[in-house]
Amino acid sequence: MKAVLCEQLGSPQDLVIRDIDSRTPGAGEVKVALKARGVSYVDVLLIAGQYQVKRELPFIPGSEAAGVVTEVGAGVESVQPGDRVLTPGGFAEEAVVDASDVTPLPDSVRFTTGAAFKSNYTTAYYGLQRGRLKAGEILLIHGAAGGVGLAAVDMGKLFGATVIATASTEDKLAVCKQMGADHVINYTEGFREQVKDLTGGRGADVIYDPVGGDIFDESMRCIAPYGRILIIGFTSGRPALAKTNHLLIKDAEAIGFTIGALSRHDPAWAQRNFEHLMGWLSSGRISPYVSHELPLEQAAEALQLITDRQVIGKAVLV
Ligand SMILES: NC(=O)c1ccc[n+]([C@@H]2O[C@H](COP(=O)([O-])OP(=O)(O)OC[C@H]3O[C@@H](n4cnc5c(N)ncnc54)[C@H](OP(=O)(O)O)[C@@H]3O)[C@@H](O)[C@H]2O)c1
């Protein structure tokens, strides 16, 4: 089968495409013919060796996909060949995984949408729970047209919040509006004053920050009393050094989390959240946004689009 391989750490252009042996599923495993694979910023970090988790070389980048079960190993009864599923899986034609790791994908959901869904929406959902977001509160989302950002716009509206979305271009802001944001701000020229104006001087109750650096610092100047700022990532390239005096003056909290830790530390919570999300996805109450669909062979181009800040929502390899 065809697979994209990271044989040496580096840039997207260092990836190679190879034909590798197809594996027969063992007991408890299933083989899935992948139809769509999600591409994310984390993949850019992983192939550069800059992610907190390191993978042994060579490896197939990518972690989430959607496809059709083609074979099942001994003892598997939960799925059968022909079933549409969400599955862990990378930039390859197929994946062999534990049967317990695949989830039925409803007929109403396209493979592309399914592949764009899990990591972004589980992160956004858990983040807003950690931020104790309540209906009627003001939610400020940075990098709101990115993967985890746009999912938070969608989820924030489901929680009943008033959503203020920031992004760097008018095209990105237009998609944030389309996804339900109540207000949008181009944060390349700052956002503190606009957030204050939009909130009658009070600031945002919950700030969702995948960007870090200067954006975090400015956020502390427009956080509401008893506000919560969520530390999600550092796409700006710099974690902020939070000034604790700002937290003290505002009675505010800075909350860090990783979605991977939730699955390890509280798998029941992670599973419950995923089931809620699957329900909302099936009924169309949430709708992942995909700006780019590219063939598998163009994995390097897809990763480069992410590096160049061109992707809105998610890029998917089909
Ligand atoms: N904590 C967790 O559990 C968790 C889970 C998933 C991802 N993450 C992290 O969340 C962050 C965002 O991931 P994502 O998948 O949403 O990424 P993404 O789709 O690439 O979006 C990131 C956004 O960051 C903004 N950005 C600002 N400065 C940037 C820069 N110098 N380079 C690139 N983008 C920049 C971009 O928006 P503008 O152009 O509008 O500024 C972009 O849309 C990453 O750091 C990732 O590791 C954390």
Side-chain angles (χ1 to χ4, degrees):
M1 68 144 175
K2 210 183 306 164
V4 176
L5 285 172
C6 177
E7 295 181 339
Q8 60 178 70
L9 298 177
S11 71
Q13 288 69 33
D14 293 317
L15 296 173
V16 291
I17 300 175
R18 304 245 185 255
D19 259 317
I20 62 171
D21 289 342
S22 173
R23 195 161 76 76
T24 304
E29 291 184 326
V30 297
K31 183 186 279 189
V32 183
L34 303 180
K35 303 287 185 194
R37 307 127 190 106
V39 187
S40 80
Y41 191 86
V42 170
D43 299 316
V44 175
L45 297 177
L46 264 172
I47 64 164
Q50 291 169 359
Y51 193 56
Q52 54 257 43
V53 179
K54 311 283 178 217
R55 289 179 68 181
E56 207 174 307
L57 294 170
F59 66 88
I60 299 173
S63 58
E64 59 182 330
V68 176
V69 174
T70 52
E71 278 180 69
V72 300
V76 173
E77 290 176 0
S78 52
V79 285
Q80 52 190 4
D83 284 357
R84 304 169 89 245
V85 290
L86 288 185
T87 176
F91 305 164
E93 285 180 317
E94 54 190 43
V96 175
V97 297
D98 280 351
S100 59
D101 287 338
V102 305
T103 311
L105 180 67
D107 287 341
S108 59
V109 182
R110 294 177 65 217
F111 289 117
T112 308
T113 306
F117 165 64
K118 188 172 177 182
S119 63
N120 287 339
Y121 277 76
T122 53
T123 302
Y125 189 20
Y126 179 52
L128 299 183
Q129 289 174 324
R130 290 293 310 277
R132 306 188 304 282
L133 179 68
K134 293 187 284 296
E137 285 193 316
I138 307 285
L139 170 64
L140 172 62
I141 302 171
H142 295 307
V148 297
L150 209 49
V153 172
D154 210 3
M155 291 302 301
K157 291 314 297 174
L158 199 73
F159 270 65
T162 297
V163 171
I164 305 175
T166 68
S168 65
T169 69
E170 295 311 308
D171 286 353
K172 289 184 174 188
L173 293 173
V175 175
C176 292
K177 266 264 173 212
Q178 185 189 321
M179 290 290 286
D182 299 278
H183 308 282
V184 295
I185 300 174
N186 187 326
Y187 62 179
T188 54
E189 289 149 20
F191 55 87
R192 171 188 170 190
E193 290 310 323
Q194 290 184 69
V195 171
K196 288 257 174 127
D197 288 348
L198 289 168
T199 57
R202 210 175 144 268
D205 299 295
V206 177
I207 303 181
Y208 180 98
D209 180 20
V211 181
D214 295 345
I215 297 297
F216 182 100
D217 296 343
E218 190 173 344
S219 295
M220 291 311 299
R221 307 242 171 216
C222 58
I223 191 166
Y226 303 106
R228 289 83 71 197
I229 182 160
L230 296 162
I231 302 157
I232 294 160
F234 315 108
T235 55
S236 64
R238 173 175 81 83
L241 295 172
K243 288 191 177 156
T244 48
N245 56 328
H246 289 164
L247 294 171
L248 179 144
I249 289 161
K250 291 289 182 68
D251 264 303
E253 295 164 56
I255 302 171
F257 73 89
T258 69
I259 194 64
L262 174 67
S263 307
R264 283 193 305 279
H265 298 149
D266 197 337
W269 184 349
Q271 182 58 27
R272 219 165 36 242
N273 277 6
F274 187 50
E275 283 165 15
H276 292 161
L277 288 166
M278 284 307 296
W280 291 321
L281 180 70
S282 308
S283 63
R285 289 190 68 193
I286 51 176
S287 33
Y289 187 91
V290 175
S291 65
H292 293 82
E293 291 185 32
L294 299 167
L296 175 61
E297 295 75 9
Q298 289 183 22
E301 285 84 342
L303 289 163
Q304 191 59 47
L305 285 166
I306 290 178
T307 308
D308 294 342
R309 290 164 84 164
Q310 297 299 310
V311 171
I312 301 180
K314 194 92 168 172
V316 173
L317 298 172
V318 291

